């Protein structure tokens, strides 16, 4: 049987890549497009790492597994918690491959920390694998146990780069560290694929999108993409192996920041409580300035050890408070709506009515700047999600116009600003390419859904497709395959969550929860 190697490129979109392809900067990408099948893919909303890598691997939208952004919002119980692998209630394509007798490897996959047992190997990755501020976790992120020690010894493998990139101005050691971890992802994935003779390998390059966010199409990002291009050429040379390249979403240059919770407060959907951040902000103290000074002085680790976490959290961010602390700054008894970044809006069940939701949807559709409406669409949650976890879904979901960053900071004061930290924001327009013995060479095909990829990969490997996958099997094969349907696998995840604050720290440092 032909083996399969999948490369996941976080945030990759043709809008960024095509000018470089046409200029001859990415020759292997150009050859892969001309010699196989490629398309633009459409992500689930919101178009972010959590949940879209799981949308790909499960073939379901977030209503099928219960995670709708990096945080779970429960206004009925006045709680906001950061998500990790135990919040995703679904089997994935590697579970079905294992069940059919195929060995699998999953390297640096966001949404998979803490790791779980598979027939093969798991190396957890992405923003969810953490151990405090600016420290890369050194153990406990692999299956089988002990693999992490080998990765450190043989590959100097790091879950997170050090020093961590936190500014558009940092183009030296921080960028070099990201390029080093990208290289190690490929090295580890290829070594394990060949050494253990795995039938299937997936590797994700999460920090590629961090470069998009901070630099868009500037030189640091191109350096990374040239590295990716070289490795794709090496992987394309593997014997009897299908090479599939995909992304969780795309990206576009940021044109405006929209502070949605500030807008909700301005329009009487949200009421506020005064916090210590409000006091500190009036004297010009914010976390971005403190971090900038600490990094220049080489004192980040010293401050981390010397200053208790609770006190660190009280230093205000320029955009306002984030995560669960949003609820400390909001008078929930007088608040009808609270938003996460990049799309989801939750309604307080004490206020929720159809009339309120209809009013808020219509009002959001009219929000605009000098370039026009900020949102290409504003949806009811049940119109974009389906499945057994629909009751956890946000009541409203906005689809950001490319270039708009919906920021969920509470208390920053501004509603519209120029781009802040990010040079580029996510869009739903990702990439998909398939090359190898099992795929035809027709070139570009019509846009696909990210949900189509898992069932297609299962059929590529001669495996039945579970009935709860919502995507279609793509017509991209050299010979028309046949396949069976099967009952879904029910995973038993009974372990308790202990890492919420650690996960939040890492997301905050990367700018996702700021």
């Amino acid at each position: 049987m032909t083996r399969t190697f999948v490369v996941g490129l976080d945030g990759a979109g043709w809008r960024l890549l095509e000018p470089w392809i046409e200029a001859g900067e990415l020759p292997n990408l150009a050859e892969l497009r001309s010699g196989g099948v490629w398309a633009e893919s459409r992500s689930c909303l919101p178009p972010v790492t959590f949940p879209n890598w799981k949308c790909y691997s499960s073939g379901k939208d977030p209503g099928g597994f219960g995670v709708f952004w990096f945080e779970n919002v429960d206004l009925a119980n006045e709680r906001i918690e950061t998500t990790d692998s135990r919040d995703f209630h679904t089997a994935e394509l590697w579970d079905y491959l294992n069940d059919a007798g195929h060995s699998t490897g999953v390297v640096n996959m966001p949404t998979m920390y803490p790791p779980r047992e598979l027939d093969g190997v798991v190396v957890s990755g992405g923003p969810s694998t953490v151990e405090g501020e600016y420290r890369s976790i050194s153990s406990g992120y692999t299956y089988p146990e002990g693999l992490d020690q080998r990765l450190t010894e043989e590959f100097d493998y790091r879950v997170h780069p050090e020093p961590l990139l936190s500014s558009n101005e940092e183009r030296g050691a921080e960028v070099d560290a990201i390029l080093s971890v990208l290289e190690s992802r490929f090295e580890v994935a290829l070594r394990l694929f060949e050494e253990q003779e795995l039938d299937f390998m997936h590797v994700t390059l999460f920090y590629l999108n961090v470069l998009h966010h901070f630099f868009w199409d500037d030189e640091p990002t191109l350096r990374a993409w040239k590295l990716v291009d070289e490795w794709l050429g090496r992987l394309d040379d593997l014997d009897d192996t299908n090479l599939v390249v995909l992304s969780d979403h795309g990206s576009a240059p940021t044109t405006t920041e929209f502070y949605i919770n500030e807008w909700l407060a301005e329009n009487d959907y949200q009421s506020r409580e005064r916090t210590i951040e409000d006091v500190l902000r009036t004297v010009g103290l914010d976390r971005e300035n403190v971090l900038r000074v600490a990094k220049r002085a080489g004192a980040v680790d010293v401050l981390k050890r010397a200053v208790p976490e609770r006190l660190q959290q009280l230093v205000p961010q320029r955009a306002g408070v984030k995560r669960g602390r949003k609820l400390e700054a909001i008078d929930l008894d007088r608040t009808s709506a609270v938003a996460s970044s990049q799309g989801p809006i939750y309604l307080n069940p004490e206020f929720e009515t159809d009339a309120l939701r209809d009013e808020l949807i219509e009002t959001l559709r009219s929000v605009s700047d000098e370039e026009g409406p900020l949102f290409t669409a504003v949806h009811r949650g049940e119109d974009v999600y389906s499945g057994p976890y629909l009751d956890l879904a946000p009541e409203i979901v906005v689809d950001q116009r490319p270039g708009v960053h919906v920021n969920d900071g509470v208390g920053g004061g501004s509603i519209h600003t120029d781009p802040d930290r990010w040079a580029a924001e996510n869009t739903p327009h990702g990439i998909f390419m398939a090359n190898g013995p099992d795929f035809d060479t027709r070139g570009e095909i019509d846009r696909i859904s990210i949900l189509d990829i898992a069932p297609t990969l299962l059929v590529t490997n001669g495996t039945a497709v579970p009935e709860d996958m919502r995507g279609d099997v793509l017509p991209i094969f050299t010979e028309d395959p046949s396949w069976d349907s099967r009952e879904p696998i029910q995973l038993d995840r009974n372990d308790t969550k202990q890492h919420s604050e650690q996960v939040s720290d890492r997301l905050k440092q990367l700018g996702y929860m700021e």
Side-chain angles (χ1 to χ4, degrees):
M1 183 191 76
T2 304
R3 300 196 296 166
T4 301
F5 200 111
V6 179
V7 178
L9 302 172
D10 202 290
W14 298 121
R15 177 171 180 170
L16 175 67
L17 300 178
E18 284 183 334
W20 289 335
I21 291 173
E22 292 171 3
E25 299 279 12
L26 305 174
N28 292 309
L29 265 173
E31 185 172 341
L32 287 170
R33 290 214 308 182
S34 64
V37 181
W38 66 278
E40 179 178 273
S41 63
R42 173 77 186 189
S43 304
C44 297
L45 294 178
V48 293
T49 298
F50 281 39
N52 270 283
W53 280 118
K54 199 69 80 182
C55 295
Y56 142 67
S57 63
S58 70
K60 304 173 186 177
D61 70 57
F65 48 73
V67 173
F68 298 85
W69 196 64
F70 291 100
E71 62 186 18
N72 284 333
V73 178
D74 181 359
L75 296 184
N77 292 299
E78 301 185 19
R79 183 170 59 231
I80 296 178
E81 294 182 332
T82 307
T83 57
D84 66 23
S85 67
R86 291 160 292 193
D87 295 294
F88 293 89
H89 305 293
T90 184
E92 300 169 71
L93 68 93
W94 21 86
D95 297 298
Y96 293 101
L97 290 170
N98 283 176
D99 199 52
H102 304 310
S103 57
T104 59
V106 186
V107 173
N108 198 52
M109 175 74 169
T111 75
M112 290 197 75
Y113 182 80
R116 59 186 176 84
E117 180 177 348
L118 289 178
D119 179 12
V121 295
V122 176
V123 181
S124 301
S128 59
T129 310
V130 301
E131 191 177 72
E133 290 203 39
Y134 292 91
R135 293 185 179 87
S136 179
I137 192 168
S138 58
S139 63
Y141 60 89
T142 64
Y143 176 83
E145 294 182 13
L147 176 60
D148 44 24
Q149 182 177 352
R150 179 192 169 192
L151 297 185
T152 300
E153 293 173 352
E154 294 187 21
F155 300 94
D156 192 26
Y157 189 89
R158 296 175 182 268
V159 174
H160 300 293
E162 297 181 34
L164 190 68
L165 179 65
S166 60
S167 165
N168 319 76
E169 302 169 359
E170 298 168 347
R171 294 168 176 252
E174 290 83 0
V175 172
D176 291 340
I178 287 179
L179 298 181
S180 177
V181 300
L182 298 183
E183 183 96 45
S184 70
R185 308 304 188 233
F186 280 120
E187 291 174 342
V188 166
L190 181 57
R191 174 73 68 83
L192 294 173
F193 184 63
E194 294 182 320
E195 180 180 272
Q196 300 196 22
E197 298 182 346
L198 299 173
D199 300 315
F200 178 96
M201 170 61 73
H202 171 101
V203 60
T204 310
L205 274 65
F206 166 76
Y207 276 94
L208 188 63
N209 198 43
V210 174
L211 294 174
H212 299 161
H213 284 318
F214 283 105
F215 303 110
W216 178 229
D217 61 355
D218 209 347
E219 185 268 347
T221 307
L222 179 57
R223 286 178 63 194
W225 272 100
K226 285 184 175 180
L227 183 154
V228 170
D229 190 74
E230 292 174 4
W231 271 97
L232 291 179
R234 291 179 59 178
L235 297 174
D236 191 39
D237 289 337
L238 293 174
D239 292 334
D240 201 28
T241 302
N242 294 313
L243 176 60
V244 175
V245 181
L246 59 98
S247 66
D248 54 338
H249 55 76
S251 52
T254 308
T255 58
T256 187
E257 298 241 359
F258 177 66
Y259 293 82
I260 189 163
N261 283 311
E262 298 302 279
W263 181 91
L264 288 169
E266 179 73 17
N267 288 272
D268 299 324
Y269 295 104
Q270 198 173 102
S271 184
R272 296 293 170 75
E273 300 276 13
R274 188 164 175 79
T275 67
I276 186 63
E277 283 91 348
D278 297 321
V279 177
L280 295 175
R281 193 176 289 110
T282 61
V283 297
L285 181 64
D286 65 53
R287 192 170 303 175
E288 289 82 357
N289 288 333
V290 171
L291 177 58
R292 185 180 301 110
V293 172
K295 290 191 77 171
R296 287 176 178 172
V300 172
D301 284 343
V302 173
L303 289 176
K304 172 62 180 177
R305 290 191 296 268
V307 181
E309 174 68 18
R310 182 62 181 173
L311 293 181
Q312 293 181 42
Q313 295 300 327
L314 292 178
V315 180
Q317 300 170 52
R318 190 176 301 131
V321 298
K322 302 270 185 166
R323 301 178 285 145
R325 297 216 60 228
K326 288 188 290 190
L327 296 185
E328 296 179 26
I330 292 172
D331 181 354
L332 201 55
D333 290 338
R334 296 190 295 145
T335 289
S336 59
V338 178
S340 297
S341 283
Q342 299 165 296
I345 302 172
Y346 295 82
L347 300 184
N348 187 339
E350 296 297 322
F351 290 81
E352 183 190 351
T353 64
D354 288 340
L356 169 65
R357 181 159 67 157
D358 290 345
E359 172 194 300
L360 185 50
I361 287 174
E362 287 305 311
T363 307
L364 285 165
R365 285 172 176 164
S366 67
V367 177
S368 62
D369 60 12
E370 61 276 5
E371 296 185 25
L374 293 188
F375 311 120
T376 59
V378 183
H379 304 279
R380 290 172 171 261
E382 62 267 28
D383 292 337
V384 291
Y385 304 126
S386 59
Y389 299 97
L390 187 59
D391 61 320
L392 302 178
E395 284 77 15
I396 299 172
V397 187
V398 302
D399 192 349
Q400 306 170 140
R401 186 186 75 212
V404 172
H405 174 48
V406 174
N407 193 312
D408 69 337
V410 171
S414 299
I415 294 177
H416 293 270
T417 70
D418 291 333
D420 184 17
R421 299 181 69 200
W422 282 3
E425 169 60 317
N426 299 342
T427 75
H429 314 299
I431 70 170
F432 172 78
M433 294 189 298
N435 291 70
D438 291 329
F439 302 121
D440 66 31
T441 58
R442 75 179 74 176
E444 185 177 11
I445 60 174
D446 292 339
R447 176 189 289 174
I448 71 165
S449 166
I450 195 171
L451 306 182
D452 299 334
I453 300 174
T456 300
L457 289 174
L458 290 177
V459 170
T460 302
N461 289 273
T463 306
V465 177
E467 295 169 349
D468 62 349
M469 283 192 176
R470 301 191 60 81
D472 297 322
V473 177
L474 297 171
I476 61 174
F477 298 94
T478 54
E479 298 180 4
D480 291 336
S482 60
W483 65 90
D484 296 324
S485 296
R486 59 160 295 165
E487 291 288 325
I489 293 173
Q490 302 299 323
L491 294 183
D492 181 17
R493 298 300 304 274
N494 292 322
D495 40 1
T496 58
K497 294 184 66 171
Q498 299 176 340
H499 304 276
S500 180
E501 278 304 309
Q502 294 179 335
V503 173
S504 297
D505 286 345
R506 180 58 56 180
L507 295 170
K508 174 185 63 184
Q509 293 152 30
L510 298 176
Y512 285 97
M513 303 184 71
E514 298 172 284

